[in-house]
């Protein structure tokens, strides 16, 4: 059963993800239909970053997963050599 701390951290992660999802959705889907001189445009980065940020995040995630996979495989290879 989850403790109170686990539930709090989980709720915080869900809340953060929800905020990021709403921000990105407004940025990519709604903002192109708002006039360029509207005050809400100042709350968002330029639209080019809407593509660049997810691509960079995906590359970093892929790199981290690859490093983790390589570390696990090398540890398994070392265990087989010792047996």
């Amino acid at each position: 059963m989850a403790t109170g701390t686990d539930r709090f951290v989980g709720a915080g992660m869900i809340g953060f993800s929800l905020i990021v999802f709403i921000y990105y959705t407004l940025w990519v889907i709604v903002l192109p239909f708002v006039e360029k001189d509207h005050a809400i445009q100042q709350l968002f980065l330029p639209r080019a970053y809407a593509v660049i940020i997810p691509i960079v995040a995906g590359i970093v995630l892929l790199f981290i997963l690859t490093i983790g996979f390589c570390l696990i495989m090398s540890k398994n290879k070392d265990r087989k050599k010792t047996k």
Side-chain angles (χ1 to χ4, degrees), residues 66-80:
T66 303
I67 295 297
F69 179 75
C70 291
L71 288 173
I72 290 170
M73 294 303 289
S74 68
K75 286 181 182 180
N76 285 340
K77 187 184 269 188
D78 292 341
R79 287 184 189 161
K80 287 182 180 179

Side-chain angles (χ1 to χ4, degrees), residues 23-76:
Y23 179 86
Y24 190 78
T25 302
L26 289 173
W27 185 22
V28 173
I29 296 175
V30 176
L31 210 59
F33 298 106
V34 177
E35 295 178 15
K36 298 265 186 209
D37 57 346
H38 197 276
I40 199 167
Q41 293 279 0
Q42 296 174 355
L43 300 175
F44 296 90
L45 293 170
R47 272 186 239 139
Y49 290 109
V51 175
I52 294 170
I53 291 172
I55 289 174
V56 170
I59 291 170
V60 169
L61 179 65
L62 187 62
F63 179 73
I64 291 170
L65 290 174
T66 303
I67 295 297
F69 179 75
C70 291
L71 288 173
I72 290 170
M73 294 303 289
S74 68
K75 286 181 182 180
N76 285 340

